[in-house]
Amino acid sequence: MLKTLLHSCIVLVFSLSTLACNVTNPSHRPTIGGAIKLVDNKEKELCFLPNFETAYLTSTKKYEDLKFINLSHVDVTRGDDPLSNKLVWQASTAPNQFYKLKEGESICMSQHLSELNVRNHSFLNNDKYTVTIRGMDDKKEYNLRFIKRFIYPIK
């Protein structure tokens, strides 16, 4: 009897600690995913426009209440792998800071914003690339990662 009660208490403590951790720590929740539109405007600069309408939490659950992105960084890597270490271009904020990226706003490779540190590593050639926009949702409850794989030049 005492053994069963002790076992039940241990299970309850672990259950509550896991639940509390999921509520307070965004890294223990699913990541919001989404798509990015590529915009190659008249000045020949390549821009990345997150498509808020494609935001999702899981394959069956859309995330419909995204008002803006708390952007931490944008990476362009060579190849199909968003985790590649073949970094071509990056725009990032200072540590523990965010840039408020509103719906309809894009980040361009030739754009210079005072809130973002831009690092050019190499020029885009005829090749495959992946762009990743990372940050958090507007309520800072979920991590966010929008991805687009593309071939440059854009056709």
Side-chain angles (χ1 to χ4, degrees), residues 75-79 81-82 84 86-89 128-131:
D75 291 336
V76 177
T77 56
R78 190 175 314 279
D81 184 4
S84 169
K86 298 174 185 171
L87 193 61
V88 175
W89 182 86
K128 293 180 182 179
Y129 296 92
T130 302
V131 59

Side-chain angles (χ1 to χ4, degrees), residues 70-73 92-100 115 135 140:
N70 284 302
L71 179 88
S72 61
H73 62 276
S92 61
T93 60
N96 300 317
Q97 300 292 315
F98 294 103
Y99 173 76
K100 187 176 179 178
E115 298 92 345
K140 295 184 180 177

Side-chain angles (χ1 to χ4, degrees), residues 7-104:
H7 182 266
S8 297
C9 288
I10 291 172
V11 168
L12 180 63
V13 167
F14 281 119
S15 298
L16 289 176
S17 66
T18 302
L19 181 61
C21 191
N22 283 338
V23 171
T24 60
N25 190 341
S27 66
H28 294 166
R29 294 187 183 138
T31 299
I32 296 173
I36 300 170
K37 294 179 184 176
L38 301 176
V39 180
D40 200 0
N41 66 20
K42 294 176 185 172
E43 288 82 34
K44 300 287 185 189
E45 64 183 44
L46 186 57
C47 301
F48 310 111
L49 176 67
N51 186 351
F52 283 43
E53 294 175 5
T54 64
Y56 64 90
L57 277 171
T58 65
S59 61
T60 59
K61 185 176 181 185
K62 286 192 70 157
Y63 188 86
E64 298 179 6
D65 195 30
L66 187 62
K67 299 194 180 12
F68 61 88
I69 294 172
N70 284 302
L71 179 88
S72 61
H73 62 276
V74 180
D75 291 336
V76 177
T77 56
R78 190 175 314 279
D80 291 337
D81 184 4
L83 301 176
S84 169
N85 63 352
K86 298 174 185 171
L87 193 61
V88 175
W89 182 86
Q90 182 180 64
S92 61
T93 60
N96 300 317
Q97 300 292 315
F98 294 103
Y99 173 76
K100 187 176 179 178
L101 187 64
K102 300 174 190 124
E103 187 170 6

